[in-house]
Every structure is written in structure tokens, then in C-alpha cells.
Amino acid sequence: MADETPIDGAALAALSLARSGVPSMYGVVGIPVTSLASRAAAAGVRFIAFHNEQSAGYAASAHGYLTGRPGVLLTVSGPGCVHGLAGLSNADINAWPMLMISGSCDQSDVGRGDFQELDQVEAVKPFSKFSAKATRASEIPRLVSECLAKTVSGRPGGCYLDIPSDVLRERIPNSEAEKLLSEISQNPSFLEEKVETLEIDRAVSLLRHAERPLVVVGKGAAFARAEDELKALISRTGIPFLPTPMGKGLLPDTHELSATAARSLAIGKCDVALVVGARLNWLLHFGEPPKWSPDVKFILVDVSSEEIELRKPCVGLVGDAKKVLNLLNREIKDDPFCFGRSHPWVEALSKKAKDNVAKMEAQLAKDVVPFNFLTPMRIIRDAILDVGSPAPIVVSEGANTMDVGRAVLVQMEPRTRLDAGTWGTMGVGLGYCIAAAVASPGRLVVAVEGDSGFGFSAMEVETLVRYQLPVIVIVFNNGGVYGGDRRNPDEITGPYKDDPAPTSFVPGAAYHKLIEAFGGKGYVVGTPIELKSALSESFAARKPAVINVTIDPYAGAESGRLQHKN
């Protein structure tokens, strides 16, 4: 006899996630989703409870990037859903797979001013690839499966599922639930666009006959796990490569063909650029003069045909970065070519990179106290490199802190750098840290944060302690956004002239005390010896810690180093 024990919508949603292979979920519980979170944990989906849906959403988005499978965010209705949009939009802009699930008010009370009532399906539309609402419990397994599948089809991104309170409470027979759950696939298949052989031929021909070729790799290539194919291409052809900030580590930053330290020369003079998993947006100066040569020919590899159509490259290769690079490698293998170390272009980039590195190292070699940004960043770099493999995942945000860190910190392995990304999102730090620790067990996670960036999500240090995650948060404390009071005298007037500057925080803030309040370890450091000691002790312990690094308030540049984009 079939089991007719009833099962409610919350349990059905939890089992749907578990059967779909979702390993973990991030969120904030409350009416009406607390039971869903508890049932998910019982079904084998680890639930990481946050203080704020924004941070939980950032965690879910980063989880999608780090694992290649959709991260899942759970929120309450109304304001919880709105807070969660931060993470959903971040996932969509960065092309990372993520599913946001929100509870909502009873369907019978829509339009009557119910508790936290909001048309959430409509609210999420600008930030999601696909959104759906379960109107009956029996629809939940199919919609969970469909939403998860759509997050990773085509260009990855965010999807949304709305489950009203009455649907979460609705009960159906267990036998019916099992039948519905049995139809869920853990590995959905998608129709893939085939790359035209002719286009592969054209791309290889352009690279072969180029005088100054360059390969640009972005986080899309990292998401696609294309590091082996990239290594083969660079080794086979000898073409220099330039990673975007989160493309760092696909090949080691120390690779002899890395053009990172000669970026301006590389993009300004190259005549053919193979761009893999990166968009020609503001991060790459839109692929336009004056940063790029007016005559440069772009070969653009992207999963989205719309992106190819928008950018109108010389050659567009629509497809997964890993697969397209494999096709390029096959074509080159049949008729090999290689730019040797003595090639004028390779030599010019190599010389420029070495010169720039030498200049930077000369600055880094100085122990400046009170700290500027370079001295502590060098010490942090060396401590991270000393960990070896598996390399720590580095999370970085803040104006000066992130920008200096991008230049100084060294990535040796793929997907070990998380930063503000395509949207320049601040406040991602602690959420990213938690996702990195959950999604990549065995790796140390090191956050290098400006005090402003840290402030967005600082309360989540309690989450670090509660789950005992191996995360070390390093706060560059310079007393505000960019540092001290940067106002001109003519700006310090009016009835509120005695208020602190808009960029100022409380001087000497004891950020390390925050984690101590929850039982974590805090350090305050202001000298190289103190910082080295704190890093050595905290890295060895692999327990939640905050290192409060006192920086000269006037060491940084206003607007960081982004200049014209502020």
C-alpha cells in the first residue's frame, strides 16, 4: 500500500533542493520560511543562517561562482525579498548561477495589505533571468528543478522562486510527493550552440598572423574551469596573457608570459586580442581607443550570442570557454605556431613587466610606519604565499585596499580571488568569505578589507564564529572612506560644518573587539612585527579572527585608483 502520510510544502521544497543536489543554502529565517530551512537541513542541505539577507545573497552568488552550481538564498517575504535583491542582482551582473527563494503572503490575502505583502515576482524581474511562483504545493518540485536549471543555462545568472505561505503549509500525500520528486534531475542537460568550424579557423588564422597578439582571460573562463585549456594554449603558442582581476590565478601570476605588470602596453599596442570569458565593458575600457589601438582585432569568446552581437568583434565564438579553447587548441595542434621568447612583442612586454615589477618591489621593500598600504600588503602577500597549496581564497574590497591588493597580492591557483566584480559592489566581503569557507572546505579564507567595505557586513563575524569557519578578516583601518578628512576649506562651511566629513569614521575604531564579543580572536597591529605575528598565529589556528591594521589616514588616494569612474 502506498504511503499516504501527508507532507507539507515546506518539506517538499526542502526535499526538492536535496534531490536536485543542492549542498547548502544561505539566508535569514522568519515567517513563513523557518520550517523550510529546518527541513532542508534535515534533508541534507546545510543551512547557513545570516544576520542580513544582503550578505546571505552575496554568499549565494559567490557559491555559484566557486562551485559552478547554483548558490541558493532563502528569504522571508517583503523586505526580506528586497534585501535579497542585492545578492540576486550581483549574481546576474557577474553571470553567476544563483536561485533566490522567498516566502510570500497567503494568496487569498493578496491586495488586502497582508503582512509583508509585495508582488515579489514583479519586483525581481530586472535582476533575474527567470522568475516563477508556486500556486500549489504540487508545483514546487518542478519549479525548483526548472529554476535551478535556468541559472546555469546559456549565460549563468540569477533566478527566483516565490512560495506563498499557504503553499508552504499545504499538505499532499507522501506518495504523490515521491512521484513528483522522482522526476527531478540532478544533472539537467541543455542544448548547446555549436561553434562553427569556419569561425575557429578564422580565429586561429588571426592569431597566427598577428604581430602583437594578446590573450585576455576573465572570470567567465575561471567559472568554466578552463585553466588546463588556457595553459595548453599559452604553452603551445607563446602568446602573452592578461587576466582581469578575478581571472587572476587561472595561470599563476608569476608565469613568464603574464602581462599583468605591463597592462597598459599590452592593451595599447596589441593588434589581435583573444578575449575569453570577459566582457568588453568598463573593466576593459570597452575595447575602444585611447586605451586600445584603433586597429585592434578582437576574437571574443562568450557563452552569450547577445554579447557577441553587442560588441561586434572581428570574430565571435559563442560557447563555453573551456570547450572553445579546446577547439582552438585542436586546430593549432594540427598546424602549430609559436611566438618565441625572442619575439619583439614578447620581449617588449617581458621587459616592461620586469621594469614595473622592480619599481613596485623597491617600494614594497620599505617598512613604512605608520603603515601606508604597501607595507602591510607585502607582509600579507608573503604570508599567503607561505601557506602553499591549496592556496587560500582571497576576498578583497575597498577603494585603496582592493586596488593596491590587486597589484600586490599574488594568485597562484584559479578561483582564489573574489572582489567587487563587474558591478563594483561594496559590502560583499563577509558573505563571500562565508561562501568560500562553505563551498571550498580545506582552504583557508583571507579577507583583505577596507574599513568602509568591512562595515557593510561586519556583524557577520558572529556568523564566522557560530560556524567556526576558517576565515581571517584583515581590516585596513584608516578612519574612513579613502581615509581622513579630504575636504577643501570651502567645503567646510554652513550650519553643519562641525560634523565629521562624509568620508570619516570614528578614529582608531577597535574593529578587533567586535569578533571578541562573540568568542573569536581579535588583533590590533601597527608594526611589521605585530602584523607578521598576528598572521602567523591566526593562519596556523584556522579559526575566525579579525586583524585590525592601523593605517595612516592620509596614505590612500581619494576614490582609490579608479579615478575617472568615481
Side-chain angles (χ1 to χ4, degrees):
M1 178 182 287
D3 183 358
E4 295 303 320
T5 305
I7 180 173
D8 66 16
L12 189 57
L15 288 168
S16 298
L17 292 167
R19 299 282 179 93
S20 297
V22 172
S24 57
M25 179 163 56
Y26 308 88
V28 178
V29 297
I31 297 171
V33 298
T34 305
S35 178
L36 198 167
S38 298
R39 298 294 185 94
V45 179
R46 189 182 189 190
F47 187 79
I48 307 296
F50 279 69
H51 288 273
N52 183 290
E53 290 95 352
Q54 281 190 325
S55 291
Y58 292 142
S61 68
H63 182 105
Y65 170 66
L66 291 168
T67 67
R69 305 273 298 184
V72 180
L73 168 67
L74 179 66
T75 84
V76 300
S77 48
C81 173
V82 171
H83 293 167
L85 290 179
L88 189 67
S89 58
N90 189 64
D92 209 54
I93 291 292
N94 283 296
W96 296 343
M98 172 184 160
L99 171 60
M100 181 166 101
I101 300 174
S102 296
S104 59
C105 71
D106 281 15
Q107 295 176 92
S108 61
D109 290 327
V110 169
R112 302 173 65 198
D114 194 20
F115 174 68
Q116 296 188 335
E117 181 182 341
L118 173 69
D119 185 349
Q120 293 164 192
V121 172
E122 193 64 30
V124 304
K125 278 184 179 177
F127 311 107
S128 59
K129 296 174 61 179
F130 174 77
S131 55
K133 183 173 188 170
T135 58
R136 301 187 305 275
S138 59
E139 296 175 350
I140 290 174
R142 174 182 60 80
L143 289 176
V144 166
S145 184
E146 185 177 359
C147 287
L148 288 169
K150 287 184 182 295
T151 67
V152 291
S153 64
R155 181 187 288 287
C159 291
Y160 174 76
L161 177 59
D162 190 281
I163 311 181
S165 299
D166 53 302
V167 176
L168 288 167
R169 294 192 307 268
E170 183 189 346
R171 300 167 86 81
I172 65 173
N174 188 64
S175 57
E176 181 185 351
E178 276 301 325
K179 182 176 182 301
L180 294 167
L181 290 165
S182 69
E183 297 168 2
I184 288 177
S185 170
Q186 286 198 26
N187 297 293
S189 58
F190 309 105
L191 292 174
E192 294 182 2
E193 296 187 57
K194 292 188 176 178
V195 183
E196 294 291 334
T197 305
L198 179 61
E199 294 301 291
I200 292 290
D201 289 347
R202 287 184 61 207
V204 171
S205 179
L206 278 172
L207 291 170
R208 185 191 309 277
H209 296 105
E211 293 182 10
R212 298 176 301 280
L214 180 69
V215 176
V216 179
V217 289
K219 62 180 179 294
F223 175 80
R225 271 64 180 164
E227 51 267 25
D228 290 342
E229 290 73 17
L230 176 66
K231 181 180 179 181
L233 178 73
I234 299 302
S235 298
R236 187 168 284 143
T237 64
I239 297 175
F241 68 94
L242 177 70
T244 64
M246 284 178 57
K248 282 163 59 73
L250 271 166
L251 292 179
D253 283 346
T254 53
H255 194 289
E256 60 187 349
L257 287 172
S258 172
T260 297
R263 185 180 190 274
S264 295
L265 176 63
I267 67 175
K269 296 294 185 183
C270 73
D271 60 350
V272 174
L274 171 63
V275 182
V276 186
R279 282 173 274 183
L280 294 176
N281 56 18
W282 70 276
L283 284 161
L284 289 173
H285 313 289
F286 308 107
E288 296 173 349
K291 295 291 186 180
W292 294 83
S293 164
D295 302 319
V296 63
K297 294 180 174 66
F298 285 107
I299 304 164
L300 194 56
V301 179
D302 200 282
V303 292
S304 168
S305 57
E306 288 82 4
E307 182 70 18
I308 302 290
E309 290 162 11
L310 173 68
R311 307 298 177 183
K312 295 180 173 54
C314 183
V315 176
L317 303 174
V318 181
D320 173 81
K322 185 181 183 76
K323 292 175 181 175
V324 172
L325 284 176
N326 190 42
L327 291 172
L328 290 170
N329 280 326
R330 265 194 235 165
E331 181 70 19
I332 292 167
K333 188 178 180 182
D334 291 341
D335 187 7
F337 67 93
C338 184
F339 292 77
R341 299 291 179 268
S342 60
H343 188 280
W345 172 239
V346 178
E347 274 196 338
L349 285 179
S350 177
K351 181 179 184 305
K352 185 66 174 175
K354 285 176 182 174
D355 289 347
N356 286 344
V357 166
K359 289 175 186 174
M360 174 67 83
E361 287 301 321
Q363 288 182 282
L364 289 169
K366 303 169 187 172
D367 280 345
V368 178
V369 180
F371 277 149
N372 59 9
F373 281 85
L374 292 174
T375 297
M377 203 68 78
R378 179 204 79 220
I379 295 167
I380 293 164
R381 176 195 68 183
D382 294 347
I384 290 171
L385 286 172
D386 283 346
V387 173
S389 186
I393 294 176
V394 175
V395 176
S396 188
E397 64 177 335
N400 292 281
T401 307
M402 183 176 69
D403 292 340
V404 174
R406 184 186 300 129
V408 176
L409 301 179
V410 176
Q411 261 62 56
M412 301 297 288
E413 297 176 11
R415 294 169 296 281
T416 56
R417 179 180 172 84
L418 290 163
D419 64 21
T422 304
W423 228 10
T425 310
M426 289 295 141
V428 296
L430 271 292
Y432 280 9
C433 286
I434 292 165
V438 170
S440 306
R443 286 191 190 264
L444 181 68
V445 181
V446 180
V448 185
E449 303 260 307
D451 50 358
S452 176
F454 175 65
F456 280 84
S457 57
M459 191 62 185
E460 301 300 346
V461 298
E462 187 276 337
T463 310
L464 299 181
V465 175
R466 188 170 7 117
Y467 291 96
Q468 283 297 293
L469 300 174
V471 177
I472 313 303
V473 182
I474 304 166
V475 182
F476 277 50
N477 183 358
N478 62 357
V481 183
Y482 313 129
D485 190 342
R486 306 302 178 94
R487 293 175 295 179
N488 297 319
D490 63 350
E491 293 176 308
I492 311 174
T493 59
Y496 305 109
K497 60 182 174 60
D498 294 327
D499 275 0
T503 56
S504 293
F505 298 153
V506 171
Y511 295 118
H512 57 292
K513 295 285 187 183
L514 184 61
I515 198 166
E516 289 177 354
F518 305 113
K521 180 69 174 175
Y523 304 84
V524 59
V525 303
T527 68
I529 291 174
E530 290 170 347
L531 178 55
K532 288 175 184 177
S533 174
L535 290 169
S536 176
E537 184 178 305
S538 61
F539 281 21
R542 295 198 169 220
K543 299 284 187 183
V546 170
I547 303 175
N548 185 7
V549 184
T550 304
I551 303 290
D552 181 344
Y554 296 96
E558 183 170 0
S559 307
R561 281 143 184 83
L562 199 55
Q563 298 169 352
H564 67 287
K565 286 298 175 187
N566 188 355

